[in-house]
Amino acid sequence: MEQVMASIPDFEIAEAGISKDNSAEAEQFKFRVDEIFQKVDELEQKVNEVEQFYLSSSKKQQSSSKGSSMGKERDKERQVPSIKKQQQDASRREAAAAKRMQELMRQFGTIVRQITQHKWAWPFMQPVDVKGLGLHDYYEIVEKPMDFSTIKNQMEAKDGTGYKNVRDICADVRLVFNNAMKYNDEGSDVHLMAKTLLEKFEEKWQLLLPKVTEEEKRRDEEEAEAQLDMQLVREAAHAKVVRDLCNELYEVDTHLEHLRETVVQKCRKMSTEEKRNLGTAIARLSMEDLNKALEIIAQSNPAFQAMAEEVEIDIDAQSESTLWRLKFFVKDALELQSKSAMSTGGNNNNNYNNKRKKEICDAIAKTAKKKSKKTCS
C-alpha cells in the first residue's frame, strides 16, 4: 500500500512547470488524486479486515491442530455450503437432536416413576414442610431444596421452562436424596431411606448412561461440523473480498499510471541545476526515505538494483517521469523529516543505516563528478 501512496504526485503548478493558464486542469488533477487517496483508504480498511480474519482463523487452527490427518483430508474435500443451506441444516439438526433428547428424557421418566413408586419414596414426593415441622435451621443447611413433585412439573412443562437435558433431571434427583442425607442424621430413618433409594437410582441410571453419552458425543461432533461449515463460508466470503481487492488495486494502479503519464506530458523538462539540486536533496533523506527513492528509480528501470551493496545513480539518465516523481517525493519527505526532527530533537539511526546512506550519497556525488569532468573536456 505504501508503494501506491508513494507513487501519487503532489501536483503543484509552479513546481511541475505547468502554466497558470492550465490551473483549472491542475485543479482537476488534484481532485482526481484526492479520489484515489479516498479509494486507497477504503482498500486499506478492507485489507485490515481480511488480515484480522485470517489471523484469528490461524490461531483457531493452531489450537485445534490435534485432529487426525484423516479428518484434515476430509475437511479439504468438503464443499463450501451456502448460508441458506447452513440455516436449513442447522434447523434440521436441532430438531433431530431435540427429538432424540426427548426420547432419552422419556426413558429417564420411567426410572423416576420406578423410584417414586417405592414404599420409601413418600418423604420425598413433596417440598419439605419447614414451618409445619419446625425445622428452623433447614435453609441454613440445605442450600437448594428439591422434591419429586417439582421435578415432575419441570419434566412436563410446555412453556419452555422445563428441562432441556436429561443430565439436569439426574442432578435434581440426586439433590433430593443428598439434601435428605445432609439434613438428617446418619442413623435416622429418613437418612437410611434416602441412601437406599439413591443407590437404586444410580443402578438404573448406569443402564441409561451409555445412551446419554453417545448422544452427547453425537451433538459435539455435529456442533464441530457446523462450526467448520461456518468457517468455510466465512473463508469463501473473505476469499471473494481478496479477489475484489486485487481487481480494485489493479484499477487504482492503472489509474495512477494514466495520471502519471498525463502529468509528465504537461511538465517541462527539468533543468541541469534542478537535477543537481535534486541529487543534493536525495542525499539529505533518511535511510527509510532513501530506500523509497531508490524504489521509485527501480520502478521505471527494472535493471536498477535498489538493494545492491553498491548503487550507482545517474540523475541525468533518469526519465522525466522518474525525475518529477523523485522531486515530489523528496520535497514531501524532507518536510516530514524536518517536522519529525523538531518534535523529537533528532533521529537515532544505527551505524549500518548511516554507512549505507553514506555509500549511496557518495555514489550520487561520484556520478555527478564524472559527468562534470566529461562536460569540461
Side-chain angles (χ1 to χ4, degrees):
M1 196 67 72
E2 286 185 1
Q3 290 183 354
V4 174
M5 300 293 286
S7 63
I8 301 177
D10 179 13
F11 297 100
E12 297 186 11
I13 298 172
E15 287 279 348
I18 300 174
S19 66
K20 292 184 178 180
D21 295 337
N22 293 328
S23 59
E25 189 175 5
E27 287 299 322
Q28 185 180 6
F29 282 139
K30 288 184 179 180
F31 176 73
R32 291 169 68 184
V33 169
D34 288 339
E35 285 185 326
I36 294 177
F37 268 105
Q38 184 178 356
K39 184 66 175 178
V40 169
D41 287 340
E42 293 173 2
L43 293 177
E44 188 173 11
Q45 184 177 354
K46 290 180 182 179
V47 168
N48 289 336
E49 290 173 0
V50 172
E51 184 180 19
Q52 288 302 317
F53 170 77
Y54 282 109
L55 281 174
S56 62
S57 297
S58 177
K59 289 179 182 178
K60 289 179 182 178
Q61 288 175 1
Q62 288 175 4
S63 63
S64 61
S65 60
K66 295 181 181 178
S68 65
S69 58
M70 185 179 296
K72 292 177 182 177
E73 289 299 322
R74 183 182 62 193
D75 294 345
K76 290 179 182 178
E77 296 173 1
R78 180 189 292 272
Q79 292 184 343
V80 180
S82 65
I83 293 290
K84 184 177 180 181
K85 185 177 185 303
Q86 268 210 316
Q87 293 173 340
Q88 293 173 344
D89 290 346
S91 298
R92 283 195 295 267
R93 190 165 51 246
E94 289 172 6
K99 189 175 181 180
R100 294 194 304 271
M101 184 55 69
Q102 284 297 323
E103 173 58 23
L104 286 173
M105 291 172 70
R106 185 192 68 77
Q107 294 179 38
F108 190 88
T110 301
I111 296 175
V112 172
R113 282 194 299 274
Q114 290 173 351
I115 295 298
T116 55
Q117 287 171 3
H118 194 278
K119 61 181 180 179
W120 286 357
W122 62 268
F124 316 109
M125 296 304 296
Q126 298 296 328
V128 175
D129 185 4
V130 175
K131 188 175 181 180
L133 296 173
L135 308 177
H136 305 297
D137 61 346
Y138 186 80
Y139 293 118
E140 296 176 6
I141 299 173
V142 177
E143 296 178 4
K144 182 183 177 183
M146 186 55 61
D147 64 278
F148 279 107
S149 65
T150 301
I151 291 174
K152 183 174 181 293
N153 289 336
Q154 275 201 264
M155 288 182 70
E156 296 174 353
K158 304 295 184 183
D159 59 355
T161 61
Y163 294 110
K164 302 295 188 299
N165 192 297
V166 70
R167 283 190 183 272
D168 295 336
I169 317 175
C170 178
D172 278 354
V173 171
R174 285 172 175 159
L175 186 61
V176 171
F177 299 127
N178 286 327
N179 283 348
M181 289 188 291
K182 185 177 182 180
Y183 186 78
N184 296 277
D185 295 336
E186 191 171 346
S188 66
D189 289 343
V190 174
H191 187 103
L192 177 61
M193 295 162 74
K195 184 177 181 180
T196 302
L197 291 180
L198 179 59
E199 289 173 354
K200 290 183 177 296
F201 167 74
E202 293 294 353
E203 290 175 3
K204 296 179 183 297
W205 168 246
Q206 290 302 318
L207 298 176
L208 182 62
L209 185 57
K211 293 182 180 179
V212 176
T213 304
E214 182 182 352
E215 172 60 22
E216 289 171 340
K217 182 180 178 182
R218 181 173 179 177
R219 284 199 173 199
D220 288 343
E221 290 175 349
E222 289 179 349
E223 180 64 25
E225 188 175 350
Q227 289 180 358
L228 176 60
D229 286 342
M230 180 59 72
Q231 179 69 13
L232 290 174
V233 168
R234 288 171 181 161
E235 287 182 1
H238 281 82
K240 183 180 183 301
V241 172
V242 171
R243 289 194 298 272
D244 293 342
L245 277 172
C246 290
N247 293 334
E248 290 181 86
L249 284 170
Y250 176 77
E251 290 177 7
V252 169
D253 190 54
T254 303
H255 193 33
L256 282 172
E257 186 62 31
H258 174 70
L259 275 176
R260 191 182 300 124
E261 293 305 318
T262 303
V263 170
V264 170
Q265 291 173 10
K266 299 290 181 180
C267 292
R268 57 172 171 73
K269 287 190 175 184
M270 195 174 286
S271 67
T272 303
E273 183 180 356
E274 285 178 313
K275 291 178 184 179
R276 184 171 64 253
N277 292 337
L278 177 58
T280 303
I282 290 175
R284 292 165 52 202
L285 292 175
S286 67
M287 190 63 218
E288 182 181 356
D289 289 333
L290 192 55
N291 285 330
K292 290 179 181 178
L294 295 180
E295 287 176 9
I296 292 176
I297 296 174
Q299 286 174 11
S300 59
N301 183 6
F304 181 75
Q305 299 295 322
M307 301 306 295
E309 289 190 9
E310 293 186 6
V311 178
E312 184 173 338
I313 303 175
D314 186 353
I315 293 293
D316 293 327
Q318 307 306 316
S319 65
E320 290 299 321
S321 171
T322 301
L323 289 172
W324 282 107
R325 286 178 63 202
L326 280 172
K327 183 178 177 65
F328 293 133
F329 171 75
V330 170
K331 178 179 178 296
D332 290 341
L334 288 177
E335 287 178 358
L336 289 173
Q337 192 172 304
S338 177
K339 291 178 182 178
S340 176
M342 289 176 64
S343 62
T344 62
N347 56 48
N348 296 313
N349 288 340
N350 58 37
N351 293 333
Y352 172 79
N353 285 345
N354 288 332
K355 182 180 177 183
R356 172 71 173 166
K357 180 178 176 181
K358 185 176 184 302
E359 289 173 351
I360 295 173
C361 294
D362 288 346
I364 297 174
K366 186 178 179 182
T367 306
K369 193 172 181 181
K370 287 181 181 177
K371 291 282 183 181
S372 177
K373 286 182 177 180
K374 287 181 180 179
T375 304
C376 293
S377 59

